[in-house]
Amino acid sequence: MAGTNVLQASVADILAELAALEDPRAREINEKHGDDHGVNLGKLRAIAKRLKVQPDLARELWATGGTAARLLSLLICRPKSYEQDELDGMLRESRTPKVHDWLVNYVVKKSPAAEDLRVAWFSDPDPVVASAGWALTSERIVKKPEGLDLGKLLDIIESNMKEAPERLQWAMNNCLAQIGIEHPEHRARALDIGERLEVLKDYPTPPNCTSPFAPVWINEMVKRQAGG
């Protein structure tokens, strides 16, 4: 299967190859994070490297609905080939966290429609869709903050993050941390909000990893930036 000619690779060939890579142990680990596949992501990326960019094949793989196939499709697609409405539909049918994250980070962020989608998704009533709007906002906070009202963002975080559903809460917490890290004029308030809300304060963090608890995260990154 690995020797299949790239130009002749069919969806059926690729699905069979993905099925052969299915590992029950990997699936068990992934399911703990809400993902329903058992394909090692390193092996998935190796398939993508072999296939290279194939927009039509990417769409066909996405249409299968399988998580591993969709992840592969996001690695071989051409982000700028998708229209805004198509990306909106894809996000709304992204059932699993990994597909959602890769779609936002590997495709939407590279799309000319990224800013329009950020605005459209930011206040969506579906918290999973809204989390994508917040993820794109974090990107702007770091790379292109001009035009963002950071004070208003902190107001929304202060009022809503504590009770937000998990995926939206994580996205809002990331925004809080990035504001505190990247914008010294808002750092004291970001730290204060994090300390008072205590979101992710007790999140189990492996050794040598930075806690997602915003005050710890902010202080650690600021220290690194200062060369400490």
Side-chain angles (χ1 to χ4, degrees), residues 96-186:
T96 65
K98 185 66 72 176
V99 171
H100 175 101
D101 289 345
W102 280 23
L103 175 61
V104 172
N105 287 299
Y106 296 169
V107 183
V108 177
K109 286 181 179 180
K110 299 176 182 177
S111 166
E115 178 60 14
D116 288 337
L117 288 169
R118 182 190 75 82
V119 173
W121 290 339
F122 186 82
S123 300
D124 195 277
D126 182 334
V128 175
V129 174
S131 73
W134 280 85
L136 294 172
T137 300
S138 288
E139 177 90 347
R140 273 202 59 187
I141 288 168
V142 175
K143 295 185 176 180
K144 193 179 179 182
E146 296 78 18
L148 289 178
D149 187 337
L150 299 182
K152 183 177 180 181
L153 285 173
L154 290 174
D155 289 343
I156 298 171
I157 292 168
E158 187 170 19
S159 298
N160 300 321
M161 184 171 72
K162 183 77 171 178
E163 304 302 327
E166 182 179 13
R167 284 165 72 177
L168 178 55
Q169 185 182 70
W170 272 88
M172 295 174 85
N173 183 72
N174 188 38
C175 267
L176 176 64
Q178 296 304 336
I179 290 172
I181 293 165
E182 300 292 337
H183 300 277
E185 69 276 19
H186 294 284

